[in-house]
Amino acid sequence: MAATPTSRKSGSSESKRRGDEIDDTVPAREEKAGGAGPGPDEPPIRPTIPLDRYRLGNELGRGGMGRVVEAFDTQLGRTVALKEVRTKGTHRRFAREIHITARLEHASIVPLYDSGINMDGKPYYVMRKVSGKPLDEMVARCKDLDERLTLLPRLLSAIEAVAHAHSRGVIHRDIKPSNILLDTRGHAKITDFGLATAYANRMEQTFQGTT
C-alpha cells in the first residue's frame, strides 16, 4: 500500500513514479462492458509492428488471455512463435508477462525476442518456436509406468529453470504438464508465464521499511 502523501507535490511525484512501474502484484482490471476503448491501466495504442515484419501462420495454442501462432520473421529469416492478446481488458497483465519473461535467461525457459503493439492495437511478443510436445501428451503416449519413468531425467532441467526464476524473484504459479514442452532432442522447456508474479521488489520494500 502506498504511503499517505505529506504534500500535494510529493503525492503527485510518488503517483507518477508508481504509475510508470508495472505492478507485479495487482491483477489487471477487466474492461467495463460496452467500453469504447482501453481503460486507465491499458497501454496507449501505438502500433509498433511493421506490416510485413512477421507473416502469421497456423495457430499453435491458446489460453484464457491470448493465443500463440507460428510466424515467420522476414527481417531475420527465421520461424518464431508470436503470442498476442485475444481478450479485452488484459493489456496490463499481458505487459507484466512480457516484463517478467524478459528478465529470465535459462536454457529451459523459452526466450523472448521482441514485443510491441500490432496494427489492431493488441500487444504481442515474439519468442523462440519450440518444436516438440507438451509433457502431458508425452505421458499419455507411455504404455506403462516404466516408460513414464524414463521421462523423469528430462525434467531435471525444468526444475533448474524454476530455481533460476526464483533466484530472479519470479514465481511461475502455473507449473503443470501442459506448460512443460519436451523438444525434439528431449530437452524440457518451461512456457507460459502469464500468471507469474515477481516478489523481489515487494521483499525489498519490506526490508527497507524494517528498523
Side-chain angles (χ1 to χ4, degrees), residues 19-41:
D20 290 339
E21 297 176 346
I22 294 178
D23 188 342
D24 292 320
T25 61
V26 181
R29 295 190 294 273
E30 295 298 324
E31 183 176 295
K32 294 182 180 179
D41 61 347

Side-chain angles (χ1 to χ4, degrees), residues 53-85:
R53 171 71 189 270
Y54 298 108
R55 293 206 303 264
L56 303 186
N58 296 329
E59 182 174 305
L60 301 175
R62 64 170 57 202
M65 183 170 56
R67 69 172 191 145
V68 179
V69 298
E70 181 178 296
F72 183 75
D73 184 345
T74 60
Q75 181 173 311
L76 297 178
R78 62 182 178 184
T79 299
V80 296
L82 186 146
K83 183 173 183 178
E84 61 182 0
V85 166

